[in-house]
Amino acid sequence: MSSSDVVWFANSPLPPVRVGKLDQTGNFALVFRNEADRADQQKNCQIQVTENCLKGLRASCAITASRQSRPSSILSFFGLAKGQSWEDKDRQEDQLTSACVAQGASQCATHAEDFCKVVFSGPVAADIK
C-alpha cells in the first residue's frame, strides 16, 4: 500500500477572517463579514498581543533584575564584593522582577489595544455597496 492510497481525515479549515468584495467602482477590497466577526477577531488579537508582550516583559525584567542583584564586576574582581546567600539573591531578583512586571503590564494592555485597533480598522461588508 502506498501513501497515495491512504485517506487522511482532518478538521475542516477555518473560514477566512476577511472576504473579498467588489465596491461600486470595481475595486477589490478585503472586508469583514459583519461587525461581530470584527469584534471577535479584535478581542482575540488583543489577548494574543498582550500575552506575547507580557512574555517579553517577564524575560526582560528577569534579565534586568539578575544584573541589578549581582555585585559590581570591579568589586568582584578585587574581592571586595560582600557575599550574599543564594536565597537572598533569589529573593531580591524575584522582588525586582515582580515590581518591573507590575509596572509594565498596563503598557502591554495599552499597546495591544492600540495595535489591534489599527489592524482591525478595515471596512465591514455591509459598509461596501
Side-chain angles (χ1 to χ4, degrees):
M1 183 185 301
S2 69
S3 63
S4 62
D5 296 333
V6 177
V7 176
W8 296 96
F9 293 97
N11 294 336
S12 59
L14 296 173
V17 175
R18 295 182 185 187
V19 293
K21 189 169 184 177
L22 292 175
D23 62 7
Q24 291 175 345
T25 62
N27 292 328
F28 184 77
L30 288 175
V31 295
F32 293 98
R33 287 188 178 92
N34 54 42
E35 193 59 43
D37 282 352
R38 180 204 315 248
D40 287 343
Q41 292 296 325
Q42 188 169 356
K43 179 181 167 191
N44 290 335
C45 172
Q46 286 180 352
I47 290 169
Q48 289 179 355
V49 170
T50 301
E51 287 175 357
N52 289 337
C53 181
L54 287 174
K55 285 178 187 177
L57 179 65
R58 278 188 210 100
S60 175
C61 288
I63 290 170
T64 303
S66 176
R67 288 182 179 159
Q68 287 178 352
S69 63
R70 69 179 177 203
S72 169
S73 311
I74 294 173
L75 293 177
S76 296
F77 179 73
F78 289 113
L80 300 173
K82 68 176 187 177
Q84 242 183 344
S85 69
W86 287 106
E87 293 83 15
D88 291 340
K89 287 181 184 179
D90 283 344
R91 194 176 315 108
Q92 183 181 9
E93 281 184 27
D94 288 343
Q95 289 172 350
L96 289 171
T97 301
S98 298
C100 178
V101 169
Q103 183 180 7
S106 63
Q107 293 173 349
C108 282
T110 303
H111 166 67
E113 186 177 328
D114 293 343
F115 177 81
C116 294
K117 190 182 295 181
V118 171
V119 171
F120 290 98
S121 63
V124 176
D127 296 342
I128 295 185
K129 297 175 174 126

